[in-house]
């Protein structure tokens, strides 16, 4: 099942993707089932998702193809990112492969739709791209064992972990300063339930800038796999339904190019992960 959210920013409604790729409005059905029109919190519970899977999308109202697609999950309280989680990415940046996951926060306020503009913030000099697999939590997770971790997943989606390297690497303090600027967290287009993903640790990933391939990779080269990350993080904090974990990027980021190549206004970023769809963002100056 592929879920999505459609409508203007801040007023998104839930959608279900039909076999022909069209988006169908799920908000009426979801309101009857769960008392909400949006894909947030309790709407991600296993019981609710099981009921939604029985729905025939073709019987739902069709959403205009011109409608904006929003981030595939709403109401996210914790947006957690994993650094240097691909050995080949660590190598291109001159970093050691970590012995434990490197965790940092992205502010939930940076979350935008998959095709919304990416804004370069004031004072930025080195805005970079990162295609990533993201995990959306469906059930409260605390002190979870690795063998049980995937039971807590509502679905998977694409994240572009947009990063301002000068804020991240050249200013004192935590990485989150370079990771949380407005529009730095495109999510979606779809929230794909785990039953549609044969092997989450064997998904192809790619990212282009202006039609030129920058990143090519696979989740099979992760240092720490999805199940391990969920278990690990749940020992330091409670994961709530709707929380997002973005799991790291393969090689090919702008910082690792020789010479480095960073985003400029007018650039177009396209990216995808196997089975999870595609994103496309135009880079614009801050307004």
């Amino acid at each position: 099942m592929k879920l999505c959210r459609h409508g203007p920013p801040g007023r998104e409604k839930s959608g279900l993707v039909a076999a022909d790729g069209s988006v169908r409005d799920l908000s009426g059905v979801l309101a009857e089932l769960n008392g909400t029109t949006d894909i947030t919190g309790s709407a991600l519970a296993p019981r609710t998702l099981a009921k939604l899977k029985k729905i025939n999308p073709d019987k739902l109202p069709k959403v205009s193809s011109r409608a904006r697609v929003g981030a595939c999950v709403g109401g996210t309280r914790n947006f957690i990112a994993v650094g240097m989680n691909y050995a080949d990415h660590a190598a291109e940046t001159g970093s050691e492969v970590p012995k434990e996951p490197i965790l940092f926060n992205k502010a939930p306020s940076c979350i935008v739709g998959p095709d919304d503009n990416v804004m370069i913030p004031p004072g930025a000099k080195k805005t970079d791209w990162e295609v990533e697999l993201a995990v959306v939590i469906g059930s409260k997770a605390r002190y979870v064992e690795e063998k049980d971790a995937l039971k807590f997943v509502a679905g998977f989606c694409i994240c572009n972990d947009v990063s301002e390297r000068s804020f991240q690497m050249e200013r004192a303090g935590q990485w989150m300063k370079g990771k949380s600027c407005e529009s730095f967290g495109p999510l979606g287009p779809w929230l794909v339930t785990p039953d549609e993903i044969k092997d989450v640790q064997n998904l192809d990933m790619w990212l282009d800038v202006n039609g030129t391939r920058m990143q090519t990779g696979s989740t099979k080269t992760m240092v720490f796999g999805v199940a391990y990350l969920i278990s690990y993080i749940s020992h330091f904090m409670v994961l709530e339904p709707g929380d997002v974990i973005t799991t790291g990027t393969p090689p090919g980021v702008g910082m690792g190019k020789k010479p480095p190549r960073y985003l400029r206004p007018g650039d177009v970023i396209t990216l995808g992960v196997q089975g999870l769809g595609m994103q496309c963002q135009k880079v614009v100056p801050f307004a």
Side-chain angles (χ1 to χ4, degrees):
M1 181 171 61
K2 295 180 177 70
L3 297 168
C4 66
R5 297 167 71 241
H6 60 91
R11 301 199 303 275
E12 292 92 347
K13 294 181 179 180
S14 56
L16 187 60
V17 181
D20 63 1
S22 64
V23 174
R24 305 302 178 108
D25 184 35
L26 187 62
S27 58
V29 173
L30 187 57
E32 291 180 6
L33 287 177
N34 201 64
T36 179
T37 60
D38 199 1
I39 300 172
T40 60
S42 61
L44 298 167
R47 180 178 298 182
T48 303
L49 292 180
K51 292 178 180 178
L52 294 179
K53 288 176 185 177
K54 297 178 181 179
I55 295 171
N56 181 354
D58 295 336
K59 295 183 178 180
L60 299 175
K62 184 177 287 189
V63 176
S64 169
S65 60
R66 297 186 298 274
R68 171 184 175 269
V69 176
C72 59
V73 61
T76 297
R77 296 175 60 187
N78 294 298
F79 191 3
I80 305 137
V82 184
M84 299 300 171
N85 196 34
Y86 286 71
D88 36 12
H89 171 55
E92 74 171 341
T93 61
S95 303
E96 294 184 4
V97 174
K99 295 179 180 179
E100 290 191 47
I102 296 172
L103 305 180
F104 58 92
N105 291 328
K106 288 176 74 73
S109 58
C110 81
I111 294 174
V112 292
D115 301 326
D116 289 345
N117 291 338
V118 165
M119 293 189 296
I120 296 182
K125 301 175 182 177
K126 300 178 180 180
T127 305
D128 207 345
W129 56 82
E130 293 189 12
V131 60
E132 303 198 3
L133 168 75
V135 182
V136 178
I137 299 298
S139 305
K140 181 179 286 189
R142 48 198 295 271
Y143 302 103
V144 172
E145 293 188 34
E146 184 177 356
K147 65 181 179 63
D148 298 322
L150 295 182
K151 298 176 184 177
F152 294 82
V153 175
F156 303 102
C157 65
I158 302 168
C159 173
N160 187 357
D161 178 19
V162 184
S163 309
E164 172 47 45
R165 303 300 188 190
S166 65
F167 296 172
Q168 176 191 359
M169 311 298 288
E170 300 168 15
R171 305 282 292 271
Q174 299 294 320
W175 282 6
M176 69 174 296
K177 291 191 296 187
K179 298 283 190 170
S180 296
C181 301
E182 188 176 357
S183 80
F184 273 24
L187 291 179
W190 310 321
L191 177 64
V192 182
T193 50
D195 58 291
E196 291 207 11
I197 304 299
K198 183 178 180 180
D199 182 0
V200 73
Q201 297 302 155
N202 190 23
L203 302 178
D204 293 333
M205 313 164 71
W206 59 272
L207 182 145
D208 294 348
V209 178
N210 300 333
T212 299
R213 183 58 45 93
M214 297 295 180
Q215 289 186 272
T216 301
S218 170
T219 58
K220 66 185 177 184
T221 66
M222 281 185 181
V223 178
F224 305 104
V226 171
Y228 182 88
L229 290 172
I230 294 169
S231 172
Y232 183 86
I233 295 168
S234 77
H235 283 72
F236 298 98
M237 62 182 291
V238 176
L239 294 169
E240 302 278 1
D243 285 354
V244 176
I245 302 169
T246 189
T247 58
T249 198
V253 299
M255 178 174 61
K257 301 294 183 185
K258 299 186 186 305
R261 185 336 188 165
Y262 296 112
L263 294 167
R264 299 179 296 270
D267 285 344
V268 175
I269 316 165
T270 51
L271 59 149
V273 175
Q274 183 180 353
L276 303 182
M278 187 177 81
Q279 299 184 355
C280 181
Q281 298 114 25
K282 183 177 180 180
V283 180
V284 299
F286 179 82

